[in-house]
Amino acid sequence: MCRWMAYAGEPILAEELLFKPQHSLIDQSLHSRMGATTTNGDGFGIGWYGENPEPAVFKSIEPAWNDRNLREVAGQIRTSLFFAHIRASTGTPVQRSNCHPFRHGRWLWMHNGALRGFREVRRDLVTAIDPVLFPDLEGSTDSETLFYLALTFGLTEDPLGAVARAVGFVEDVGRAHQVENPVQMTVATTDGQSLWVFRYSSERQSRSLFFSTKIAQLRALHPEVEVLHRLGEHTRVVVSEPLRDLPGAWNEVPESCAGVVRAGGDELVGFEPVSPN
């Protein structure tokens, strides 16, 4: 499986998120505490928004803990919306096109989990992708396939509904192939303005996912943490597992739930797949 982090808020240097926290994503690449695997060394990727509407991505098949280029660029990238992902392959090759986050236009997508029985259902899933989108599918992962299904089902107009329809379609196909519990996922996606996150699995035993407490409360609880005083009131961090051992700093995203973070507020809502048929 994998670990990931999404940040939305005051512009911040990427190294503040990737390297400096006690249990940073770089530390998690070697010493994950809550993941299905302790080591996540099958590549990494970061995505961020800068001067242009479309995001930039930097990916590598090297382990995140051992990539000097990542450390170099992290000290120069300042952004208000940042994705980072460390990969533990579930069977597809270790290659750049299979590293997250995935990008299409102004959208980014990253996933932790698996579409079970992907080898058996892959053809049915891939052939359901909109023919206009299909040429842009680069890799061979279930994660990117799920992204392109969400795009096919209307991600750019209705993110919550599109992901519900994509997941419902995967469950329909999986069950037609006698795959038990087809979907295991935590997902983050963004258009550069808003951030959507999802925690869901067919068996209702999803991988871990947490969101940060409001900054004003965190400052009151932990005035000694200097970085908190440089973050805006609406800053949110969503992570596979907490970056720091700070009491009161992290809240578990409930099972079968989706969240949206945007300027002026955020909310959590229930999430249930919808069969597009």
Side-chain angles (χ1 to χ4, degrees), residues 3 5 14-15 17-32 38-40 44-46 63-67 70-71 74 82 84-86 243:
R3 304 277 82 184
M5 172 188 64
E15 68 178 5
L17 301 166
L18 280 176
F19 289 96
K20 293 188 176 182
Q22 175 188 16
H23 189 47
S24 70
L25 209 63
I26 304 304
D27 181 65
Q28 291 177 35
S29 66
L30 273 170
H31 306 294
S32 171
T38 301
T39 303
N40 299 273
F44 69 86
I46 59 174
W65 71 78
N66 197 39
D67 194 289
L70 177 59
R71 189 174 290 274
F82 180 73
H85 186 281
I86 49 176
L243 303 180

PDB file of all heavy atoms in Angstrom, residues 3 5 14-15 17-32 38-40 44-46 63-67 70-71 74 82 84-86 243:
ATOM      1  N   ARG A   3       1.340   5.739   1.376  1.00  0.00           N
ATOM      2  CA  ARG A   3       1.059   6.806   2.330  1.00  0.00           C
ATOM      3  C   ARG A   3       1.003   8.106   1.534  1.00  0.00           C
ATOM      4  O   ARG A   3       1.741   8.283   0.570  1.00  0.00           O
ATOM      5  CB  ARG A   3       2.147   6.923   3.391  1.00  0.00           C
ATOM      6  CG  ARG A   3       2.446   5.660   4.193  1.00  0.00           C
ATOM      7  CD  ARG A   3       1.467   5.448   5.375  1.00  0.00           C
ATOM      8  NE  ARG A   3       0.234   4.831   4.936  1.00  0.00           N
ATOM      9  CZ  ARG A   3      -0.816   4.602   5.731  1.00  0.00           C
ATOM     10  NH1 ARG A   3      -0.775   4.988   6.996  1.00  0.00           N
ATOM     11  NH2 ARG A   3      -1.896   4.018   5.280  1.00  0.00           N
ATOM     12  N   MET A   5      -0.098  12.663   1.645  1.00  0.00           N
ATOM     13  CA  MET A   5      -0.373  13.890   2.389  1.00  0.00           C
ATOM     14  C   MET A   5      -0.903  14.939   1.423  1.00  0.00           C
ATOM     15  O   MET A   5      -0.403  15.068   0.295  1.00  0.00           O
ATOM     16  CB  MET A   5       0.902  14.418   3.035  1.00  0.00           C
ATOM     17  CG  MET A   5       0.758  15.798   3.670  1.00  0.00           C
ATOM     18  SD  MET A   5       2.369  16.435   4.189  1.00  0.00           S
ATOM     19  CE  MET A   5       3.186  16.569   2.595  1.00  0.00           C
ATOM     20  N   ALA A  14       7.759  23.356   0.683  1.00  0.00           N
ATOM     21  CA  ALA A  14       7.470  21.927   0.702  1.00  0.00           C
ATOM     22  C   ALA A  14       8.282  21.187   1.758  1.00  0.00           C
ATOM     23  O   ALA A  14       7.816  20.207   2.345  1.00  0.00           O
ATOM     24  CB  ALA A  14       7.718  21.326  -0.679  1.00  0.00           C
ATOM     25  N   GLU A  15       9.506  21.644   2.034  1.00  0.00           N
ATOM     26  CA  GLU A  15      10.339  20.953   3.011  1.00  0.00           C
ATOM     27  C   GLU A  15       9.744  21.011   4.417  1.00  0.00           C
ATOM     28  O   GLU A  15       9.997  20.131   5.246  1.00  0.00           O
ATOM     29  CB  GLU A  15      11.754  21.529   3.018  1.00  0.00           C
ATOM     30  CG  GLU A  15      11.863  22.943   3.531  1.00  0.00           C
ATOM     31  CD  GLU A  15      13.303  23.450   3.551  1.00  0.00           C
ATOM     32  OE1 GLU A  15      14.196  22.720   3.072  1.00  0.00           O
ATOM     33  OE2 GLU A  15      13.524  24.588   4.036  1.00  0.00           O
ATOM     34  N   LEU A  17       6.789  20.450   5.144  1.00  0.00           N
ATOM     35  CA  LEU A  17       5.838  19.351   5.224  1.00  0.00           C
ATOM     36  C   LEU A  17       6.508  17.996   5.027  1.00  0.00           C
ATOM     37  O   LEU A  17       6.176  17.022   5.695  1.00  0.00           O
ATOM     38  CB  LEU A  17       4.746  19.533   4.162  1.00  0.00           C
ATOM     39  CG  LEU A  17       3.933  20.824   4.246  1.00  0.00           C
ATOM     40  CD1 LEU A  17       3.145  21.048   2.968  1.00  0.00           C
ATOM     41  CD2 LEU A  17       2.994  20.787   5.449  1.00  0.00           C
ATOM     42  N   LEU A  18       7.466  17.949   4.120  1.00  0.00           N
ATOM     43  CA  LEU A  18       8.057  16.671   3.729  1.00  0.00           C
ATOM     44  C   LEU A  18       9.150  16.180   4.669  1.00  0.00           C
ATOM     45  O   LEU A  18       9.287  14.978   4.901  1.00  0.00           O
ATOM     46  CB  LEU A  18       8.644  16.775   2.315  1.00  0.00           C
ATOM     47  CG  LEU A  18       7.669  16.671   1.149  1.00  0.00           C
ATOM     48  CD1 LEU A  18       8.410  16.898  -0.159  1.00  0.00           C
ATOM     49  CD2 LEU A  18       6.980  15.319   1.127  1.00  0.00           C
ATOM     50  N   PHE A  19       9.964  17.106   5.187  1.00  0.00           N
ATOM     51  CA  PHE A  19      11.174  16.705   5.906  1.00  0.00           C
ATOM     52  C   PHE A  19      11.194  17.083   7.387  1.00  0.00           C
ATOM     53  O   PHE A  19      11.795  16.372   8.192  1.00  0.00           O
ATOM     54  CB  PHE A  19      12.410  17.313   5.231  1.00  0.00           C
ATOM     55  CG  PHE A  19      12.727  16.693   3.896  1.00  0.00           C
ATOM     56  CD1 PHE A  19      12.291  17.280   2.721  1.00  0.00           C
ATOM     57  CD2 PHE A  19      13.464  15.522   3.813  1.00  0.00           C
ATOM     58  CE1 PHE A  19      12.587  16.709   1.485  1.00  0.00           C
ATOM     59  CE2 PHE A  19      13.768  14.945   2.589  1.00  0.00           C
ATOM     60  CZ  PHE A  19      13.317  15.543   1.423  1.00  0.00           C
ATOM     61  N   LYS A  20      10.587  18.201   7.753  1.00  0.00           N
ATOM     62  CA  LYS A  20      10.797  18.720   9.099  1.00  0.00           C
ATOM     63  C   LYS A  20       9.934  18.111  10.197  1.00  0.00           C
ATOM     64  O   LYS A  20      10.378  18.031  11.352  1.00  0.00           O
ATOM     65  CB  LYS A  20      10.661  20.244   9.081  1.00  0.00           C
ATOM     66  CG  LYS A  20      11.780  20.909   8.289  1.00  0.00           C
ATOM     67  CD  LYS A  20      11.757  22.416   8.436  1.00  0.00           C
ATOM     68  CE  LYS A  20      12.944  23.044   7.704  1.00  0.00           C
ATOM     69  NZ  LYS A  20      12.982  24.507   7.857  1.00  0.00           N
ATOM     70  N   PRO A  21       8.700  17.672   9.928  1.00  0.00           N
ATOM     71  CA  PRO A  21       7.918  17.072  11.023  1.00  0.00           C
ATOM     72  C   PRO A  21       8.570  15.805  11.567  1.00  0.00           C
ATOM     73  O   PRO A  21       9.282  15.091  10.854  1.00  0.00           O
ATOM     74  CB  PRO A  21       6.573  16.762  10.349  1.00  0.00           C
ATOM     75  CG  PRO A  21       6.484  17.728   9.219  1.00  0.00           C
ATOM     76  CD  PRO A  21       7.884  17.860   8.713  1.00  0.00           C
ATOM     77  N   GLN A  22       8.309  15.539  12.826  1.00  0.00           N
ATOM     78  CA  GLN A  22       8.884  14.381  13.523  1.00  0.00           C
ATOM     79  C   GLN A  22       8.618  13.072  12.783  1.00  0.00           C
ATOM     80  O   GLN A  22       9.497  12.213  12.655  1.00  0.00           O
ATOM     81  CB  GLN A  22       8.285  14.316  14.929  1.00  0.00           C
ATOM     82  CG  GLN A  22       8.675  13.100  15.749  1.00  0.00           C
ATOM     83  CD  GLN A  22       7.867  13.030  17.038  1.00  0.00           C
ATOM     84  OE1 GLN A  22       6.846  13.689  17.187  1.00  0.00           O
ATOM     85  NE2 GLN A  22       8.344  12.251  17.988  1.00  0.00           N
ATOM     86  N   HIS A  23       7.387  12.907  12.295  1.00  0.00           N
ATOM     87  CA  HIS A  23       7.021  11.681  11.572  1.00  0.00           C
ATOM     88  C   HIS A  23       6.597  12.066  10.151  1.00  0.00           C
ATOM     89  O   HIS A  23       5.499  11.758   9.699  1.00  0.00           O
ATOM     90  CB  HIS A  23       5.895  10.951  12.305  1.00  0.00           C
ATOM     91  CG  HIS A  23       5.599   9.576  11.771  1.00  0.00           C
ATOM     92  ND1 HIS A  23       6.573   8.647  11.495  1.00  0.00           N
ATOM     93  CD2 HIS A  23       4.419   8.977  11.454  1.00  0.00           C
ATOM     94  CE1 HIS A  23       6.018   7.539  11.045  1.00  0.00           C
ATOM     95  NE2 HIS A  23       4.708   7.717  11.011  1.00  0.00           N
ATOM     96  N   SER A  24       7.500  12.767   9.475  1.00  0.00           N
ATOM     97  CA  SER A  24       7.228  13.272   8.132  1.00  0.00           C
ATOM     98  C   SER A  24       6.963  12.141   7.152  1.00  0.00           C
ATOM     99  O   SER A  24       7.210  10.956   7.446  1.00  0.00           O
ATOM    100  CB  SER A  24       8.422  14.086   7.638  1.00  0.00           C
ATOM    101  OG  SER A  24       9.531  13.216   7.391  1.00  0.00           O
ATOM    102  N   LEU A  25       6.503  12.513   5.962  1.00  0.00           N
ATOM    103  CA  LEU A  25       6.265  11.499   4.939  1.00  0.00           C
ATOM    104  C   LEU A  25       7.566  10.790   4.556  1.00  0.00           C
ATOM    105  O   LEU A  25       7.551   9.603   4.227  1.00  0.00           O
ATOM    106  CB  LEU A  25       5.632  12.148   3.702  1.00  0.00           C
ATOM    107  CG  LEU A  25       4.713  11.232   2.878  1.00  0.00           C
ATOM    108  CD1 LEU A  25       3.509  10.799   3.687  1.00  0.00           C
ATOM    109  CD2 LEU A  25       4.273  11.903   1.590  1.00  0.00           C
ATOM    110  N   ILE A  26       8.686  11.492   4.638  1.00  0.00           N
ATOM    111  CA  ILE A  26       9.974  10.850   4.369  1.00  0.00           C
ATOM    112  C   ILE A  26      10.268   9.798   5.432  1.00  0.00           C
ATOM    113  O   ILE A  26      10.720   8.690   5.131  1.00  0.00           O
ATOM    114  CB  ILE A  26      11.103  11.895   4.308  1.00  0.00           C
ATOM    115  CG1 ILE A  26      10.789  12.975   3.255  1.00  0.00           C
ATOM    116  CG2 ILE A  26      12.431  11.225   3.998  1.00  0.00           C
ATOM    117  CD1 ILE A  26      10.520  12.440   1.866  1.00  0.00           C
ATOM    118  N   ASP A  27       9.993  10.113   6.695  1.00  0.00           N
ATOM    119  CA  ASP A  27      10.149   9.125   7.755  1.00  0.00           C
ATOM    120  C   ASP A  27       9.200   7.953   7.550  1.00  0.00           C
ATOM    121  O   ASP A  27       9.572   6.783   7.745  1.00  0.00           O
ATOM    122  CB  ASP A  27       9.899   9.780   9.113  1.00  0.00           C
ATOM    123  CG  ASP A  27      10.062   8.800  10.267  1.00  0.00           C
ATOM    124  OD1 ASP A  27      11.197   8.322  10.475  1.00  0.00           O
ATOM    125  OD2 ASP A  27       9.060   8.502  10.930  1.00  0.00           O
ATOM    126  N   GLN A  28       7.973   8.249   7.122  1.00  0.00           N
ATOM    127  CA  GLN A  28       6.994   7.192   6.890  1.00  0.00           C
ATOM    128  C   GLN A  28       7.405   6.269   5.743  1.00  0.00           C
ATOM    129  O   GLN A  28       6.989   5.101   5.705  1.00  0.00           O
ATOM    130  CB  GLN A  28       5.622   7.795   6.592  1.00  0.00           C
ATOM    131  CG  GLN A  28       4.961   8.474   7.765  1.00  0.00           C
ATOM    132  CD  GLN A  28       3.641   9.119   7.397  1.00  0.00           C
ATOM    133  OE1 GLN A  28       2.893   8.608   6.569  1.00  0.00           O
ATOM    134  NE2 GLN A  28       3.351  10.266   8.008  1.00  0.00           N
ATOM    135  N   SER A  29       8.198   6.772   4.809  1.00  0.00           N
ATOM    136  CA  SER A  29       8.630   5.915   3.703  1.00  0.00           C
ATOM    137  C   SER A  29       9.492   4.763   4.214  1.00  0.00           C
ATOM    138  O   SER A  29       9.564   3.702   3.580  1.00  0.00           O
ATOM    139  CB  SER A  29       9.378   6.738   2.650  1.00  0.00           C
ATOM    140  OG  SER A  29      10.602   7.250   3.151  1.00  0.00           O
ATOM    141  N   LEU A  30      10.113   4.947   5.361  1.00  0.00           N
ATOM    142  CA  LEU A  30      10.917   3.893   5.991  1.00  0.00           C
ATOM    143  C   LEU A  30      10.230   3.253   7.194  1.00  0.00           C
ATOM    144  O   LEU A  30      10.430   2.070   7.471  1.00  0.00           O
ATOM    145  CB  LEU A  30      12.257   4.473   6.456  1.00  0.00           C
ATOM    146  CG  LEU A  30      13.399   4.500   5.460  1.00  0.00           C
ATOM    147  CD1 LEU A  30      14.554   5.330   6.004  1.00  0.00           C
ATOM    148  CD2 LEU A  30      13.869   3.092   5.133  1.00  0.00           C
ATOM    149  N   HIS A  31       9.412   4.043   7.903  1.00  0.00           N
ATOM    150  CA  HIS A  31       8.891   3.587   9.195  1.00  0.00           C
ATOM    151  C   HIS A  31       7.408   3.911   9.343  1.00  0.00           C
ATOM    152  O   HIS A  31       7.002   4.557  10.305  1.00  0.00           O
ATOM    153  CB  HIS A  31       9.668   4.237  10.342  1.00  0.00           C
ATOM    154  CG  HIS A  31      11.155   4.061  10.264  1.00  0.00           C
ATOM    155  ND1 HIS A  31      11.751   2.836  10.388  1.00  0.00           N
ATOM    156  CD2 HIS A  31      12.153   4.960  10.059  1.00  0.00           C
ATOM    157  CE1 HIS A  31      13.071   2.980  10.274  1.00  0.00           C
ATOM    158  NE2 HIS A  31      13.336   4.252  10.071  1.00  0.00           N
ATOM    159  N   SER A  32       6.599   3.460   8.411  1.00  0.00           N
ATOM    160  CA  SER A  32       5.157   3.670   8.540  1.00  0.00           C
ATOM    161  C   SER A  32       4.631   2.927   9.763  1.00  0.00           C
ATOM    162  O   SER A  32       4.984   1.774  10.006  1.00  0.00           O
ATOM    163  CB  SER A  32       4.434   3.176   7.287  1.00  0.00           C
ATOM    164  OG  SER A  32       3.041   3.187   7.477  1.00  0.00           O
ATOM    165  N   THR A  38       5.406  -1.518   6.286  1.00  0.00           N
ATOM    166  CA  THR A  38       6.225  -0.575   7.047  1.00  0.00           C
ATOM    167  C   THR A  38       7.051   0.309   6.128  1.00  0.00           C
ATOM    168  O   THR A  38       7.245   1.495   6.401  1.00  0.00           O
ATOM    169  CB  THR A  38       7.163  -1.350   7.993  1.00  0.00           C
ATOM    170  OG1 THR A  38       6.365  -2.140   8.878  1.00  0.00           O
ATOM    171  CG2 THR A  38       8.030  -0.402   8.803  1.00  0.00           C
ATOM    172  N   THR A  39       7.528  -0.256   5.031  1.00  0.00           N
ATOM    173  CA  THR A  39       8.386   0.476   4.093  1.00  0.00           C
ATOM    174  C   THR A  39       7.613   0.786   2.823  1.00  0.00           C
ATOM    175  O   THR A  39       6.932  -0.085   2.271  1.00  0.00           O
ATOM    176  CB  THR A  39       9.634  -0.361   3.751  1.00  0.00           C
ATOM    177  OG1 THR A  39      10.324  -0.680   4.949  1.00  0.00           O
ATOM    178  CG2 THR A  39      10.550   0.403   2.819  1.00  0.00           C
ATOM    179  N   ASN A  40       7.723   2.030   2.371  1.00  0.00           N
ATOM    180  CA  ASN A  40       7.079   2.472   1.134  1.00  0.00           C
ATOM    181  C   ASN A  40       8.169   3.029   0.232  1.00  0.00           C
ATOM    182  O   ASN A  40       8.401   4.244   0.187  1.00  0.00           O
ATOM    183  CB  ASN A  40       6.015   3.526   1.434  1.00  0.00           C
ATOM    184  CG  ASN A  40       4.907   2.985   2.333  1.00  0.00           C
ATOM    185  OD1 ASN A  40       3.945   2.407   1.869  1.00  0.00           O
ATOM    186  ND2 ASN A  40       5.067   3.156   3.639  1.00  0.00           N
ATOM    187  N   PHE A  44       8.060   7.757  -5.497  1.00  0.00           N
ATOM    188  CA  PHE A  44       7.328   8.827  -4.827  1.00  0.00           C
ATOM    189  C   PHE A  44       6.929   9.865  -5.860  1.00  0.00           C
ATOM    190  O   PHE A  44       7.374   9.844  -7.017  1.00  0.00           O
ATOM    191  CB  PHE A  44       8.195   9.486  -3.743  1.00  0.00           C
ATOM    192  CG  PHE A  44       9.350  10.272  -4.299  1.00  0.00           C
ATOM    193  CD1 PHE A  44       9.199  11.602  -4.686  1.00  0.00           C
ATOM    194  CD2 PHE A  44      10.599   9.682  -4.463  1.00  0.00           C
ATOM    195  CE1 PHE A  44      10.266  12.322  -5.216  1.00  0.00           C
ATOM    196  CE2 PHE A  44      11.666  10.384  -4.982  1.00  0.00           C
ATOM    197  CZ  PHE A  44      11.501  11.712  -5.365  1.00  0.00           C
ATOM    198  N   GLY A  45       6.102  10.795  -5.429  1.00  0.00           N
ATOM    199  CA  GLY A  45       5.750  11.917  -6.289  1.00  0.00           C
ATOM    200  C   GLY A  45       5.228  13.070  -5.467  1.00  0.00           C
ATOM    201  O   GLY A  45       4.682  12.873  -4.375  1.00  0.00           O
ATOM    202  N   ILE A  46       5.418  14.276  -5.981  1.00  0.00           N
ATOM    203  CA  ILE A  46       4.811  15.462  -5.403  1.00  0.00           C
ATOM    204  C   ILE A  46       4.123  16.242  -6.517  1.00  0.00           C
ATOM    205  O   ILE A  46       4.517  16.174  -7.686  1.00  0.00           O
ATOM    206  CB  ILE A  46       5.836  16.360  -4.666  1.00  0.00           C
ATOM    207  CG1 ILE A  46       6.953  16.830  -5.614  1.00  0.00           C
ATOM    208  CG2 ILE A  46       6.416  15.632  -3.464  1.00  0.00           C
ATOM    209  CD1 ILE A  46       7.923  17.828  -4.988  1.00  0.00           C
ATOM    210  N   PRO A  63      13.484   5.481  -3.844  1.00  0.00           N
ATOM    211  CA  PRO A  63      12.843   5.659  -2.542  1.00  0.00           C
ATOM    212  C   PRO A  63      12.929   7.127  -2.109  1.00  0.00           C
ATOM    213  O   PRO A  63      13.956   7.780  -2.323  1.00  0.00           O
ATOM    214  CB  PRO A  63      13.663   4.762  -1.603  1.00  0.00           C
ATOM    215  CG  PRO A  63      14.379   3.807  -2.499  1.00  0.00           C
ATOM    216  CD  PRO A  63      14.620   4.538  -3.781  1.00  0.00           C
ATOM    217  N   ALA A  64      11.877   7.626  -1.498  1.00  0.00           N
ATOM    218  CA  ALA A  64      11.847   9.040  -1.117  1.00  0.00           C
ATOM    219  C   ALA A  64      12.964   9.393  -0.145  1.00  0.00           C
ATOM    220  O   ALA A  64      13.503  10.507  -0.181  1.00  0.00           O
ATOM    221  CB  ALA A  64      10.486   9.380  -0.508  1.00  0.00           C
ATOM    222  N   TRP A  65      13.312   8.456   0.739  1.00  0.00           N
ATOM    223  CA  TRP A  65      14.339   8.750   1.737  1.00  0.00           C
ATOM    224  C   TRP A  65      15.736   8.885   1.133  1.00  0.00           C
ATOM    225  O   TRP A  65      16.646   9.357   1.786  1.00  0.00           O
ATOM    226  CB  TRP A  65      14.344   7.674   2.819  1.00  0.00           C
ATOM    227  CG  TRP A  65      14.871   6.324   2.360  1.00  0.00           C
ATOM    228  CD1 TRP A  65      16.179   5.956   2.183  1.00  0.00           C
ATOM    229  CD2 TRP A  65      14.099   5.181   2.013  1.00  0.00           C
ATOM    230  NE1 TRP A  65      16.267   4.660   1.748  1.00  0.00           N
ATOM    231  CE2 TRP A  65      15.003   4.144   1.641  1.00  0.00           C
ATOM    232  CE3 TRP A  65      12.720   4.905   1.994  1.00  0.00           C
ATOM    233  CZ2 TRP A  65      14.577   2.875   1.244  1.00  0.00           C
ATOM    234  CZ3 TRP A  65      12.305   3.643   1.607  1.00  0.00           C
ATOM    235  CH2 TRP A  65      13.216   2.645   1.234  1.00  0.00           C
ATOM    236  N   ASN A  66      15.915   8.495  -0.127  1.00  0.00           N
ATOM    237  CA  ASN A  66      17.243   8.408  -0.714  1.00  0.00           C
ATOM    238  C   ASN A  66      17.396   9.295  -1.940  1.00  0.00           C
ATOM    239  O   ASN A  66      18.341   9.102  -2.711  1.00  0.00           O
ATOM    240  CB  ASN A  66      17.540   6.944  -1.089  1.00  0.00           C
ATOM    241  CG  ASN A  66      19.008   6.684  -1.323  1.00  0.00           C
ATOM    242  OD1 ASN A  66      19.858   7.217  -0.612  1.00  0.00           O
ATOM    243  ND2 ASN A  66      19.305   5.885  -2.331  1.00  0.00           N
ATOM    244  N   ASP A  67      16.487  10.244  -2.134  1.00  0.00           N
ATOM    245  CA  ASP A  67      16.525  11.059  -3.348  1.00  0.00           C
ATOM    246  C   ASP A  67      16.996  12.477  -3.024  1.00  0.00           C
ATOM    247  O   ASP A  67      16.259  13.272  -2.440  1.00  0.00           O
ATOM    248  CB  ASP A  67      15.146  11.093  -4.012  1.00  0.00           C
ATOM    249  CG  ASP A  67      15.201  11.617  -5.431  1.00  0.00           C
ATOM    250  OD1 ASP A  67      15.441  12.828  -5.592  1.00  0.00           O
ATOM    251  OD2 ASP A  67      15.013  10.815  -6.373  1.00  0.00           O
ATOM    252  N   LEU A  70      14.911  15.430  -4.502  1.00  0.00           N
ATOM    253  CA  LEU A  70      13.694  15.794  -3.770  1.00  0.00           C
ATOM    254  C   LEU A  70      14.015  16.786  -2.664  1.00  0.00           C
ATOM    255  O   LEU A  70      13.305  17.780  -2.471  1.00  0.00           O
ATOM    256  CB  LEU A  70      13.037  14.542  -3.182  1.00  0.00           C
ATOM    257  CG  LEU A  70      11.784  14.778  -2.333  1.00  0.00           C
ATOM    258  CD1 LEU A  70      10.690  15.471  -3.134  1.00  0.00           C
ATOM    259  CD2 LEU A  70      11.270  13.463  -1.739  1.00  0.00           C
ATOM    260  N   ARG A  71      15.089  16.546  -1.939  1.00  0.00           N
ATOM    261  CA  ARG A  71      15.479  17.469  -0.872  1.00  0.00           C
ATOM    262  C   ARG A  71      15.827  18.846  -1.440  1.00  0.00           C
ATOM    263  O   ARG A  71      15.503  19.889  -0.856  1.00  0.00           O
ATOM    264  CB  ARG A  71      16.655  16.900  -0.084  1.00  0.00           C
ATOM    265  CG  ARG A  71      16.992  17.673   1.185  1.00  0.00           C
ATOM    266  CD  ARG A  71      18.061  16.984   1.992  1.00  0.00           C
ATOM    267  NE  ARG A  71      17.596  15.744   2.597  1.00  0.00           N
ATOM    268  CZ  ARG A  71      16.973  15.689   3.762  1.00  0.00           C
ATOM    269  NH1 ARG A  71      16.715  16.800   4.443  1.00  0.00           N
ATOM    270  NH2 ARG A  71      16.592  14.530   4.259  1.00  0.00           N
ATOM    271  N   ALA A  74      12.480  20.592  -2.650  1.00  0.00           N
ATOM    272  CA  ALA A  74      11.562  20.864  -1.547  1.00  0.00           C
ATOM    273  C   ALA A  74      11.914  22.146  -0.817  1.00  0.00           C
ATOM    274  O   ALA A  74      11.042  22.787  -0.210  1.00  0.00           O
ATOM    275  CB  ALA A  74      11.544  19.692  -0.565  1.00  0.00           C
ATOM    276  N   PHE A  82      -0.576  21.430  -2.031  1.00  0.00           N
ATOM    277  CA  PHE A  82       0.546  20.523  -2.211  1.00  0.00           C
ATOM    278  C   PHE A  82       0.107  19.087  -1.971  1.00  0.00           C
ATOM    279  O   PHE A  82      -0.582  18.797  -0.992  1.00  0.00           O
ATOM    280  CB  PHE A  82       1.645  20.900  -1.209  1.00  0.00           C
ATOM    281  CG  PHE A  82       2.886  20.050  -1.281  1.00  0.00           C
ATOM    282  CD1 PHE A  82       3.777  20.176  -2.327  1.00  0.00           C
ATOM    283  CD2 PHE A  82       3.171  19.142  -0.273  1.00  0.00           C
ATOM    284  CE1 PHE A  82       4.924  19.399  -2.385  1.00  0.00           C
ATOM    285  CE2 PHE A  82       4.315  18.369  -0.314  1.00  0.00           C
ATOM    286  CZ  PHE A  82       5.202  18.485  -1.376  1.00  0.00           C
ATOM    287  N   ALA A  84       1.673  15.012  -1.827  1.00  0.00           N
ATOM    288  CA  ALA A  84       2.865  14.163  -1.773  1.00  0.00           C
ATOM    289  C   ALA A  84       2.428  12.729  -1.526  1.00  0.00           C
ATOM    290  O   ALA A  84       1.489  12.472  -0.757  1.00  0.00           O
ATOM    291  CB  ALA A  84       3.818  14.624  -0.678  1.00  0.00           C
ATOM    292  N   HIS A  85       3.131  11.783  -2.161  1.00  0.00           N
ATOM    293  CA  HIS A  85       2.745  10.376  -2.113  1.00  0.00           C
ATOM    294  C   HIS A  85       3.989   9.507  -2.131  1.00  0.00           C
ATOM    295  O   HIS A  85       4.934   9.758  -2.884  1.00  0.00           O
ATOM    296  CB  HIS A  85       1.870  10.058  -3.335  1.00  0.00           C
ATOM    297  CG  HIS A  85       1.284   8.676  -3.355  1.00  0.00           C
ATOM    298  ND1 HIS A  85       2.002   7.559  -3.727  1.00  0.00           N
ATOM    299  CD2 HIS A  85       0.032   8.239  -3.073  1.00  0.00           C
ATOM    300  CE1 HIS A  85       1.217   6.491  -3.665  1.00  0.00           C
ATOM    301  NE2 HIS A  85       0.010   6.874  -3.284  1.00  0.00           N
ATOM    302  N   ILE A  86       4.035   8.499  -1.272  1.00  0.00           N
ATOM    303  CA  ILE A  86       5.095   7.499  -1.290  1.00  0.00           C
ATOM    304  C   ILE A  86       4.440   6.154  -1.585  1.00  0.00           C
ATOM    305  O   ILE A  86       3.407   5.825  -1.022  1.00  0.00           O
ATOM    306  CB  ILE A  86       5.892   7.468   0.026  1.00  0.00           C
ATOM    307  CG1 ILE A  86       4.968   7.409   1.244  1.00  0.00           C
ATOM    308  CG2 ILE A  86       6.821   8.679   0.107  1.00  0.00           C
ATOM    309  CD1 ILE A  86       5.675   7.291   2.579  1.00  0.00           C
ATOM    310  N   LEU A 243       1.695  13.491  11.160  1.00  0.00           N
ATOM    311  CA  LEU A 243       3.070  13.917  10.909  1.00  0.00           C
ATOM    312  C   LEU A 243       3.816  14.232  12.192  1.00  0.00           C
ATOM    313  O   LEU A 243       5.051  14.227  12.210  1.00  0.00           O
ATOM    314  CB  LEU A 243       3.070  15.160  10.016  1.00  0.00           C
ATOM    315  CG  LEU A 243       2.362  15.060   8.667  1.00  0.00           C
ATOM    316  CD1 LEU A 243       2.462  16.387   7.925  1.00  0.00           C
ATOM    317  CD2 LEU A 243       2.932  13.934   7.834  1.00  0.00           C
TER     318      LEU A 243
END
